Amino acid sequence: MRHPFFLLTFAMAFAAAGSLPAHAGKAASTVATQTTTQLPRTVRPLHYDVMIAPDAATLRFTGKAGITIEVVQPTSIITLNAVDMAFSSVNLATDQVSWAASKTEINEGKQTASFSFDRQLAKGRYRLTLDYSGKIGTQAAGLFAIDYPTTDGKKRALYTQFESADARRMVPSWDEPAFKATFTLEVAVPNDLMAVSNMPVADRKPLGDGRSLVRFEPTPKMSTYLLFFGLGEFERATAEQDGVELGVVTKKGSIGQAAFILESSKAVLKELNDYFGVKYPLPKLDNVAAPGGSQSFGAMENWGAIFSFEHAILLDPAISSQSDKQRAFGTATHEIAHQWFGNLVTMRWWDDLWLNEGFASWMTDRTVRKLRPEWNTALSGLSRREWAMAQDALETSQPVVRHVETVEQMRPDAITYQKGAAVIGMVEEYVGRKVWADGVRLYMKKYAYGNAVSDDLWTQIEMAARKPVKAIAHDFTLQPGVPLIRVESALCSKGSTTLKLSQGEFSRDHPEKKPLRWRVPVIVQQLGTTPSYRTLVRNGAATITIPGCAPVIVNAGQSGYYRTLYAAGHFSQLAANFTALNPIDQLGLLSDSWSLGMTGLQSPADFLDLAKSTPLSADPKVWGQIAGVFAALDRNYETDPAHRATFRKFAIGRLAPKLAQVGWIAQANEPDTFAILRNELIETLGGLGDAAVIGEARRRAAARAADPAALPGALRRTVLGVVAAHADAAAWDQMHAAALAEKVPLVRDQLFQLLAAAEDPELARKGLALALTGEPGETGGAAMIRRASVLHPDMAVDFALDNLAVVNTKMDNEARSRYIPALARGSLDPAMIAKLNAYAEKYLAPTARREVKASVANISYRIKAARERLPLIDAWLTRNSG
Ligand SMILES: [Zn+2]
């Protein structure tokens, strides 16, 4: 499904890791053997002919659907999904006869329409014809409108977003992934606008009233959630790859900003055609960029017509950074990977959503690593695992595969995406890359144009691997939680080292819980050597003997989804040789020691010792990680300004020399990793209150009017972010005027978000008030409140709760239940817990409270960590200052 924008900003990843705790003891969930459905299975669709006539001005549309169906069990009632629709005519026909429905019944709660006929329908094929009308929304669900400013006045474009269950807002349909069918879409649209759908245009006929009837070629057999329609003053650019027409579609005037994505998509399509062994089957693949945003997602993989918000894929040298570029490449790759995993082979029901998302996330990492080695993303990929583990080590965590009875109960999260990807990476490493690819090809071939469940994948992998995989896969996908591998001893004798390993569980909030059991593939390596050795920890223990007597790294290469806890002496040996470790294992050691240090399984001094001794020459990703942890730790000092000052002095003392080395302005031919680190360091040092960085940011922001080179595009957002965070009233007013005058939606949205970014509570309040006016646009307000919550979580939550009815109109339905808990995440106030619980009780169905529970668990953990762990850090700082 979609690319989640709610995951992972740089600072957020570490904030989560530094915050809290662990999971529940429910054992392997049972997975339904029958396809779950919310519709009667008496009828199934085979083909939809859909005609839509939108009226963008009134936000209404009329539609006509001719659906070829098969009655598989005799019935007199046909029930399908429909939301916010009125039916004016319902007819059923065979080749010989037709009948009007005797009754149409709408069930709003179930989102269905039932059509009764005064006869029993025998098994066989029929044609169901529906005339209806519906609504165009202002948030990304169903058919929706986005308004945006231009130098030429305000414009409106239309797009669709159907996953998970919003196709039913535009097409009366069997809106579940297993009801695959083909679709022929026709639209009646103004002559001067461009219409885009999954397939190329087959025919365009003038209607004589200023509109044309545009018909698209029929789609392959697919799930409803992948249908797409877009309409507006668009431009399109194309390229060719492997016989497929690749396209980018933007609003008029922005097509140049899509050049990078078009070029990148060529390489990605070629790579994936090769990898999957099944060629991309449609004649074209567009990526349609839209202004605005959503609190649920950044991009969506509609078959043949990927939808992306502009902020996710468009690049402009005047405003985009190296991390924007990498994110755009990653987002496009994720959606292209879905063209196979998701579109060609679809999960049977939402229980297995991770098959789409974990796989697309893993495939993105793999493809970017391969096509863009200079980005060194193998190292940044580790933050995925960290993000997943932070959630997975809380009692509120859920397994990767989780049964849901209704689509509304589905709550995709970091476990679905990031743990899913991490588990795939671990199993791939376990069976070998080639074997894994062979298994994936078998799976693609077998289930093409069909549906599958998780075990279908594991079966094919086992066939390719000729060894058991399912048991390991089940341990990691059917139960929640993070294994903890303890290195009990490492004894050298006669030139060999014998390691004794035991398996516990890494829990952040329930360290005393009885550990679950996993079969854990473990890779070990001796420091300074290349060969690695493998063992499988089962029944809680393993022993392995390897040649040599150097210190041993466990989880070498970091493909394992577990934490490693070394005995104290062993850890000191590794720490003493930190710079001799491969950078990926340096990151692993930093991550483990930081997380274990904050939960009390290790001393937090261990991480700080590493951070203190890391040389300037260490890999930029290692410095990025240290900066991220410092930023997170700083938030934990929110309520203790005195100790915070001591901590900041230490943190700035470490990071400032690295920034001095990297410099503010890119050197010719510097590695891309430097460009990313530069922004991370400026952001972090600004957040830590470093006067030199704040001063320099202000100087450059002010100088850019006269000298654009003072603030290159690659630094723009970061530097303006520092200035905005430390703004006074006059600076805030100046930014406000600039935001209002800005006509480029992408830049305008950024500027409005900065208006909510001030440290000064009075200015943050002004930003919040602005969020609900018309100024930031229909989708910009929720993003502003979100931005304010970074420094003022409690204020942002209070504001959103006070204005909940309006705030809810600023986002799509799916985003609502996770929005308030996301705002609260950074709080250290015990009162927030009661506030969140009261909110859930009052507004959310019991099945929609997962994010609230997770947020409460996170806040409780951070409060506990601040109370119990910060004094140890303070003691270390006292020992190590001066
Ligand atoms: Zn996705």
Side-chain angles (χ1 to χ4, degrees):
M1 109 187 220
R2 34 183 109 162
H3 196 66
F5 118 104
F6 54 86
L7 300 174
L8 277 193
T9 65
F10 165 67
M12 277 165 64
F14 294 100
S19 57
L20 327 205
H23 60 242
K26 256 200 246 120
S29 66
T30 49
V31 175
T33 49
Q34 282 221 311
T35 309
T36 311
T37 179
Q38 294 173 260
L39 292 168
R41 289 211 241 147
T42 47
V43 177
R44 66 189 184 99
L46 301 173
H47 178 77
Y48 295 82
D49 287 302
V50 181
M51 202 286 287
I52 301 291
D55 182 352
T58 62
L59 295 177
R60 311 274 318 174
F61 69 89
T62 56
K64 189 178 184 77
I67 312 172
T68 306
I69 59 170
E70 183 177 6
V71 172
V72 290
Q73 275 172 48
T75 178
S76 61
I77 302 174
I78 297 176
T79 299
L80 46 61
N81 292 115
V83 175
D84 276 347
M85 279 176 188
F87 293 90
S88 55
S89 153
V90 178
N91 269 282
L92 189 69
T94 66
D95 287 345
Q96 289 83 36
V97 275
S98 79
W99 313 275
S102 55
K103 192 170 82 176
T104 294
E105 200 170 353
I106 305 287
N107 185 325
E108 278 181 29
K110 289 187 167 168
Q111 305 196 331
T112 57
S114 295
F115 312 116
S116 303
F117 298 90
D118 54 10
R119 72 196 60 221
Q120 187 82 345
L121 305 170
K123 286 186 189 180
R125 286 198 179 190
Y126 299 81
R127 180 89 170 158
L128 177 67
T129 307
L130 309 163
D131 287 298
Y132 62 100
S133 60
K135 294 178 189 163
I136 299 174
T138 55
Q139 300 294 333
L143 178 58
F144 67 98
I146 294 272
D147 292 348
Y148 56 94
T150 71
T151 44
D152 199 16
K154 197 158 105 173
K155 304 281 182 185
R156 173 168 289 176
L158 302 182
Y159 308 91
T160 59
Q161 171 55 37
F162 289 168
E163 190 175 18
S164 309
D166 288 311
R168 60 191 69 173
R169 293 178 184 275
M170 188 175 97
V171 183
S173 53
W174 282 260
D175 192 13
E176 294 180 354
F179 284 111
K180 287 196 172 186
T182 50
F183 297 80
T184 303
L185 181 67
E186 249 184 336
V187 290
V189 298
N191 287 335
D192 54 341
L193 300 185
M194 187 189 294
V196 188
S197 185
N198 308 76
M199 297 294 287
V201 172
D203 184 42
R204 186 176 184 116
K205 275 192 293 232
L207 289 172
D209 58 358
R211 295 183 308 160
S212 301
L213 190 61
V214 178
R215 181 167 51 80
F216 299 95
E217 288 174 18
T219 69
K221 198 172 161 199
M222 66 182 203
S223 305
T224 42
Y225 77 89
L226 295 170
L227 190 65
F228 177 80
F229 165 47
L231 177 71
E233 285 188 21
F234 295 158
E235 281 184 279
R236 180 166 186 258
T238 60
E240 193 267 334
Q241 179 68 50
D242 296 358
V244 174
E245 183 179 88
L246 283 169
V248 282
V249 178
T250 66
K251 65 182 184 327
K252 220 180 205 168
S254 300
I255 199 73
Q257 298 173 342
F260 173 72
I261 278 307
L262 182 58
E263 196 51 37
S264 305
S265 300
K266 284 177 66 174
V268 173
L269 187 74
K270 180 173 185 312
E271 172 64 23
L272 298 193
N273 270 337
D274 290 348
Y275 188 88
F276 286 113
V278 178
K279 295 262 182 256
Y280 173 80
L282 276 62
K284 66 103 177 170
L285 174 56
D286 279 313
N287 198 329
V288 182
S294 156
Q295 291 299 308
S296 300
F297 71 106
M300 170 69 203
E301 69 266 20
N302 316 295
W303 214 355
I306 294 165
F307 171 90
S308 305
F309 284 108
E310 289 183 344
H311 66 74
I313 59 158
L314 294 194
L315 295 176
D316 186 330
I319 57 166
S320 301
S321 63
Q322 178 65 23
S323 63
D324 291 334
K325 191 172 180 182
Q326 295 190 13
R327 191 164 46 235
F329 192 96
T331 301
T333 304
H334 180 107
E335 305 310 332
I336 296 174
H338 273 312
Q339 306 299 309
W340 285 263
F341 248 90
N343 301 5
L344 185 61
V345 180
T346 313
M347 75 261 136
R348 194 168 68 181
W349 178 248
W350 303 107
D351 297 6
D352 287 305
L353 177 65
W354 86 280
L355 271 182
N356 278 10
E357 296 309 342
F359 198 93
S361 304
W362 166 81
M363 183 50 107
T364 300
D365 290 351
R366 180 203 165 274
T367 306
V368 176
R369 263 198 323 266
K370 177 158 182 205
L371 298 181
R372 292 291 188 159
E374 71 278 16
W375 291 349
N376 207 358
T377 51
L379 301 186
S380 34
L382 212 56
S383 59
R384 244 189 223 296
R385 186 187 81 184
E386 290 305 302
W387 179 245
M389 282 189 181
Q391 315 309 310
D392 204 16
L394 289 170
E395 188 171 7
T396 48
S397 186
Q398 285 262 297
V400 170
V401 179
R402 52 185 87 156
H403 180 58
V404 291
E405 282 297 325
T406 69
V407 61
E408 295 81 9
Q409 289 171 9
M410 190 182 60
R411 328 286 314 165
D413 56 11
I415 303 301
T416 321
Y417 284 77
Q418 321 299 5
K419 182 177 179 180
V423 170
I424 288 174
M426 181 172 67
V427 176
E428 182 200 26
E429 198 60 45
Y430 179 68
V431 299
R433 290 184 181 179
K434 183 174 176 312
V435 167
W436 173 264
D438 289 344
V440 167
R441 285 177 193 175
L442 290 172
Y443 170 84
M444 274 299 143
K445 215 164 252 154
K446 180 158 184 186
Y447 296 99
Y449 303 102
N451 297 83
V453 296
S454 300
D455 270 358
D456 295 331
L457 174 66
W458 303 130
T459 300
Q460 299 305 315
I461 300 292
E462 278 192 341
M463 280 172 64
R466 298 186 186 163
K467 69 173 177 177
V469 172
K470 255 183 210 167
I472 296 170
H474 283 178
D475 285 353
F476 281 88
T477 56
L478 301 184
Q479 60 185 3
V482 182
L484 176 70
I485 297 296
R486 281 194 170 84
V487 188
E488 304 284 356
S489 63
L491 296 177
C492 177
S493 165
K494 295 178 189 157
S496 292
T497 302
T498 299
L499 287 177
K500 278 199 181 349
L501 308 176
S502 70
Q503 179 247 302
E505 182 170 347
F506 170 62
S507 169
R508 296 162 81 201
D509 56 353
H510 287 76
E512 72 295 344
K513 79 176 289 253
K514 184 169 177 284
L516 296 174
R517 278 276 178 260
W518 290 265
R519 273 149 280 211
V520 187
V522 170
I523 300 176
V524 302
Q525 192 173 44
Q526 294 218 342
L527 188 73
T529 65
T530 10
S532 57
Y533 302 88
R534 291 155 189 254
T535 184
L536 187 66
V537 176
R538 61 180 106 201
N539 299 318
T543 301
I544 179 172
T545 300
I546 60 175
C549 283
V552 177
I553 304 131
V554 173
N555 204 2
Q558 305 298 315
S559 62
Y561 187 79
Y562 57 86
R563 291 221 176 279
T564 305
L565 177 58
Y566 296 95
H570 193 160
F571 183 87
S572 336
Q573 280 186 324
L574 291 174
N577 292 285
F578 186 65
T579 52
L581 298 178
N582 292 325
I584 185 97
D585 293 324
Q586 293 178 2
L587 289 170
L589 201 63
L590 285 170
S591 300
D592 282 338
S593 58
W594 158 242
S595 294
L596 296 169
M598 288 307 274
T599 44
L601 285 157
Q602 196 170 341
S603 166
D606 288 341
F607 170 82
L608 294 166
D609 285 338
L610 291 178
K612 190 185 173 204
S613 59
T614 298
L616 287 180
S617 57
D619 191 282
K621 297 286 180 187
V622 170
W623 277 103
Q625 166 113 342
I626 290 171
V629 171
F630 284 173
L633 199 44
D634 188 56
R635 303 267 161 77
N636 281 355
Y637 277 109
E638 195 74 55
T639 52
D640 185 355
H643 286 108
R644 182 183 239 184
T646 311
F647 166 70
R648 286 184 164 188
K649 194 162 165 252
F650 163 71
I652 293 169
R654 286 268 56 207
L655 300 181
K658 187 65 198 174
L659 178 59
Q661 188 199 50
V662 172
W664 281 71
I665 295 298
Q667 328 267 315
N669 302 321
E670 70 176 14
D672 292 331
T673 47
F674 275 48
I676 302 245
L677 179 62
R678 175 178 297 118
N679 284 278
E680 289 172 348
L681 290 172
I682 293 171
E683 179 185 329
T684 305
L685 284 164
L688 292 168
D690 180 19
V693 161
I694 296 166
E696 182 65 6
R698 284 184 175 142
R699 190 189 71 72
R700 288 180 179 274
R704 91 190 140 121
D707 172 20
L711 189 53
L715 280 186
R716 185 181 179 279
R717 193 168 62 239
T718 301
V719 164
L720 294 184
V722 172
V723 173
H726 300 94
D728 58 17
W732 192 93
D733 288 340
Q734 221 175 359
M735 280 194 311
H736 187 202
L740 286 173
E742 181 58 56
K743 297 293 185 228
V744 177
L746 197 55
V747 180
R748 187 184 162 96
D749 287 353
Q750 283 178 12
L751 291 173
F752 270 104
Q753 285 185 35
L754 291 182
L755 288 168
E759 264 182 27
D760 179 335
E762 279 319 305
L763 295 178
R765 249 177 227 114
K766 272 175 86 169
L768 285 170
L770 201 60
L772 298 182
T773 66
E775 285 188 14
E778 276 304 300
T779 63
M784 284 181 75
I785 303 173
R786 187 88 167 231
R787 181 63 185 245
S789 78
V790 174
L791 293 180
H792 306 283
D794 303 282
M795 184 198 292
V797 168
D798 288 344
F799 177 82
L801 288 176
D802 285 348
N803 297 282
L804 194 59
V806 190
V807 168
N808 276 340
T809 65
K810 304 290 180 193
M811 69 192 80
D812 58 90
N813 275 330
E814 277 194 35
R816 287 178 192 168
S817 61
R818 65 161 61 104
Y819 186 69
I820 299 285
L823 297 181
R825 209 169 241 288
S827 175
L828 279 171
D829 184 357
M832 180 60 83
I833 293 169
K835 221 181 272 181
L836 281 176
N837 286 330
Y839 161 76
E841 192 71 30
K842 188 165 174 192
Y843 295 104
L844 303 179
T847 52
R849 294 176 187 168
R850 170 155 325 286
E851 290 86 352
V852 167
K853 288 180 188 155
S855 191
V856 165
N858 255 299
I859 293 164
S860 315
Y861 168 81
R862 290 186 68 223
I863 292 170
K864 180 164 165 260
R867 191 178 60 231
E868 294 176 3
R869 309 307 288 170
L870 290 193
L872 300 174
I873 292 172
D874 295 335
W876 184 92
L877 287 167
T878 308
R879 286 199 304 277
N880 286 275
S881 59

